[in-house]
Amino acid sequence: MRKSDATKQRLIEAATVEFATYGIAGGRVDRIAANAKCNKQAIYAYFESKDGLFDVVYDRMVNATIQSIPIDANDLPAYAARLFDRYRTHPEVLRLTRWHNLERNTLPPQMALDAAAEKIAAIRAAQKSGVITCRYKAEDLLELLLSMAKVGAEGSPESGPSNASPDDLRKTLIDAVKKIVAP
């Protein structure tokens, strides 16, 4: 790996932590550079701006999530469980998404929109073949599954301390999805 590639990677890793914690407006290039062990001018040289760096961080996170969690519309409970696992092991995914939604108020990257269209098409095909229920529109079913996979994640004002373990929540999620999608 070239030195410039290693520097970019360190900046992206430091920025991921910074933006997940503080958002775009609260993120500081000084902290990012210090945590990446480089000069803050490298941020401007490689990414043009703090916003440009956030865009790279967010796009990489979206792409990594899409690539690591492919949908299997014939086994939506397992798909929801894999999303649940991703959100538990990578809490920055939901945090970066919240910050993007709060501070950017723009559409998700095109790759996310394309992936959603493919998932909806896969759900429709599974519905048409009778593998899963047709009671819900494919778009609504995908949105419901995506929301359900966030169970136990931070962010709901109604959720206080829970005695439910992640394993119990995961089992409940799988069971609930099975019941929702049953033909």
Side-chain angles (χ1 to χ4, degrees):
M1 182 181 281
R2 294 186 352 228
K3 184 178 178 182
S4 62
D5 292 337
T7 301
K8 285 181 193 176
Q9 186 58 36
R10 287 194 320 273
L11 283 167
I12 290 167
E13 290 170 4
T16 298
V17 173
E18 181 76 10
F19 292 135
T21 304
Y22 300 105
I24 304 166
R28 299 289 175 252
V29 293
D30 291 334
R31 280 192 301 244
I32 294 169
N35 290 329
K37 297 179 178 30
C38 68
N39 186 305
K40 74 178 181 179
Q41 293 302 1
I43 293 170
Y44 301 104
Y46 295 130
F47 306 101
E48 296 184 12
S49 66
K50 180 173 73 168
D51 286 316
L53 178 55
F54 179 84
D55 290 341
V56 170
V57 166
Y58 187 71
D59 288 352
R60 283 188 176 205
M61 179 277 300
V62 169
N63 187 51
T65 302
I66 290 168
Q67 296 302 317
S68 66
I69 315 292
I71 193 167
D72 178 356
N74 295 316
D75 192 358
L76 289 175
Y79 171 67
R82 288 192 308 276
L83 281 171
F84 173 87
D85 295 341
R86 174 86 177 167
Y87 299 152
R88 301 293 294 181
T89 58
H90 296 280
E92 72 277 5
V93 170
L94 295 178
R95 290 181 191 145
L96 287 168
T97 301
R98 284 188 194 113
W99 286 117
H100 178 271
N101 293 344
L102 285 168
E103 297 188 62
R104 285 290 169 84
N105 197 23
T106 59
L107 288 173
Q110 188 61 46
M111 69 182 118
L113 298 174
D114 293 344
E118 290 171 13
K119 290 172 186 174
I120 290 165
I123 291 171
R124 281 192 185 120
Q127 288 175 318
K128 186 175 182 179
S129 69
V131 174
I132 61 174
T133 185
C134 292
R135 287 188 304 266
Y136 312 107
K137 292 189 302 187
E139 298 88 340
D140 296 344
L141 192 52
L142 177 61
E143 189 63 36
L144 181 61
L145 294 175
L146 294 174
S147 294
M148 290 174 68
K150 297 173 194 170
V151 65
E154 62 189 44
S156 173
E158 295 88 12
S159 63
S162 172
N163 293 330
S165 71
D167 288 341
D168 289 342
L169 288 172
R170 188 177 193 278
K171 288 175 188 171
T172 301
L173 170 66
I174 291 168
D175 184 56
V177 173
K178 282 179 184 175
K179 290 177 179 170
I180 289 170
V181 302

